[in-house]
C-alpha cells in the first residue's frame, strides 16, 4: 500500500492560491490519489481525486506529476472557510480502506 | 455530506454499557464503513461491508460488532463500552471500491464519551 507524506502546516493569505503538496513516491500505476479536508471535527469532506491526468472541479484543481510520485492540490482563491486539515490519501490495494495520516493544517489568514 | 446520516450525534455511556450507533445512506451504495478518530489523530477503519450480508474487519475491530442486513443501513454495536472507546465515530459509504476511482462520502460523526 502506498504511503503519503505532507507538510504538517501551511499558511495562505486570503484570496491567494493555496498550493498543498503531497509525496506518494511508492504509488503504483493503477492507484488513485484522493484529497479530503476536515474542518474542526466535522466529517471529512471529499475534494477531488485523480489517477494520471490533472483534474479540476468547482472546489479545487489536482496536479499530478508525470511520474505520479507527487501531486499538488490547488485552491485557487482561498477563503477563511478553507482553513482546515487537508489529507492526501492513496487507498489500500484492496480499495476498501482510506488511511488518514497527519495531513496538512492550512491556515488562511486575512 | 451527501446522504450519509448518523445517529446519535452525542452520547455518554457508562463503562460496561452497550449501545448501537446507527448509520444510513440513501445513495444505493454497496460499500459502507465505520472509522474512529481519536483527538489529534487521523481516522482508523473499524469494520466495513461490501454489500448486504457481508462484513469484514478493519484496523481496530476489537470491542465492536457490525451487521449489514440491508443496503441502506450499517449499525455499529459497542458490546461493553470502555473508556478507550471514547472517540468520534464516522460512517462512510461509496458506490464501490476506491481503487476503481469511486468517491467515499462521510457522515457528520457521532461523539461518544465513556465514563
Amino acid at each position: 500500500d502506498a504511503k503519503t507524506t505532507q507538510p504538517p502546516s501551511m499558511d495562505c493569505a486570503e484570496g491567494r492560491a493555496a498550493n498543498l503538496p503531497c509525496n506518494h513516491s511508492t504509488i503504483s500505476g493503477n492507484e488513485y490519489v484522493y484529497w479530503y479536508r476536515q474542518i474542526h471535527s466535522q466529517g471529512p469532506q471529499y475534494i477531488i481525486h485523480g489517477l494520471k491526468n490533472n483534474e479540476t472541479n468547482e472546489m479545487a484543481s489536482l496536479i499530478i506529476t508525470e511520474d505520479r510520485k507527487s501531486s499538488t492540490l490547488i485552491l485557487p482563491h482561498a477563503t477563511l472557510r478553507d482553513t482546515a486539515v487537508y489529507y492526501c490519501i492513496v487507498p489500500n490495494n484492496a480499495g476498501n480502506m482510506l488511511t488518514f495520516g497527519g495531513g496538512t493544517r492550512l491556515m488562511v489568514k486575512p | 455530506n451527501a446522504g450519509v446520516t448518523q445517529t446519535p450525534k452525542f452520547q455518554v455511556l457508562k463503562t460496561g454499557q452497550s449501545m448501537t450507533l446507527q448509520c444510513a445512506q440513501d445513495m444505493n451504495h454497496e460499500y459502507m464503513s465505520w472509522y474512529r478518530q481519536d483527538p489529534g489523530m487521523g481516522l482508523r477503519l473499524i469494520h466495513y461491508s461490501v454489500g448486504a450480508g457481508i462484513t469484514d474487519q478493519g484496523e481496530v475491530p476489537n470491542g465492536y460488532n457490525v451487521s449489514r442486513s440491508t443496503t441502506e443501513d450499517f449499525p455499529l454495536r459497542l458490546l461493553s463500552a470502555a473508556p478507550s472507546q471514547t472517540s468520534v465515530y464516522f460512517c462512510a459509504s461509496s458506490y464501490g471500491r476506491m481503487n476503481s476511482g469511486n468517491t467515499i462520502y462521510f457522515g457528520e460523526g457521532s461523539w461518544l464519551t465513556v465514563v
Side-chain angles (χ1 to χ4, degrees):
Chain A
D1 298 341
K3 295 188 184 300
T4 61
T5 304
Q6 300 176 253
S9 65
M10 292 182 64
D11 289 343
C12 178
E14 188 178 19
R16 304 296 295 269
N19 296 279
L20 291 86
C22 179
N23 179 285
H24 33 77
S25 58
T26 60
I27 197 170
S28 66
N30 60 352
E31 290 180 320
Y32 285 79
V33 179
Y34 286 78
W35 283 83
Y36 281 81
R37 71 182 183 184
Q38 192 172 26
I39 299 172
H40 298 300
S41 292
Q42 298 177 17
Q45 179 186 21
Y46 167 78
I47 302 173
I48 199 167
H49 71 279
L51 182 61
K52 296 180 181 178
N53 301 320
N54 298 337
E55 302 287 344
T56 296
N57 62 20
E58 65 278 5
M59 288 184 67
S61 295
L62 176 61
I63 308 299
I64 303 174
T65 58
E66 191 170 344
D67 63 7
R68 303 189 71 242
K69 293 182 184 300
S70 65
S71 60
T72 300
L73 179 74
I74 301 172
L75 307 178
H77 305 288
T79 71
L80 299 179
R81 286 179 291 184
D82 291 322
T83 292
V85 179
Y86 287 77
Y87 296 97
C88 167
I89 302 167
V90 176
N92 64 341
N93 289 333
N96 56 21
M97 182 170 72
L98 300 178
T99 298
F100 288 75
T104 296
R105 185 172 298 276
L106 175 69
M107 180 73 71
V108 180
K109 298 182 175 180
Chain B
N1 295 309
V4 180
T5 304
Q6 292 183 232
T7 56
K9 194 168 182 65
F10 300 98
Q11 182 71 49
V12 179
L13 282 180
K14 293 182 179 178
T15 297
Q17 286 185 319
S18 62
M19 77 156 299
T20 299
L21 299 178
Q22 302 291 345
C23 176
Q25 53 88 14
D26 59 1
M27 297 174 282
N28 201 31
H29 283 172
E30 290 296 324
Y31 271 63
M32 296 186 74
S33 51
W34 278 101
Y35 290 79
R36 63 176 286 176
Q37 184 174 32
D38 299 326
M41 300 183 64
L43 280 70
R44 292 182 293 168
L45 182 65
I46 305 172
H47 285 286
Y48 68 96
S49 169
V50 300
I54 306 169
T55 64
D56 207 344
Q57 296 181 350
E59 291 180 276
V60 289
N62 292 339
Y64 306 95
N65 271 0
V66 292
S67 60
R68 185 94 180 269
S69 56
T70 67
T71 300
E72 295 77 19
D73 301 298
F74 190 45
L76 178 71
R77 298 184 187 84
L78 281 71
L79 307 174
S80 178
S84 60
Q85 293 179 302
T86 293
S87 190
V88 184
Y89 291 83
F90 293 101
C91 181
S93 75
S94 65
Y95 183 74
R97 293 182 185 274
M98 288 164 284
N99 55 6
S100 297
N102 293 292
T103 301
I104 183 167
Y105 296 96
F106 286 85
E108 286 298 321
S110 295
W111 275 253
L112 177 66
T113 301
V114 182
V115 298

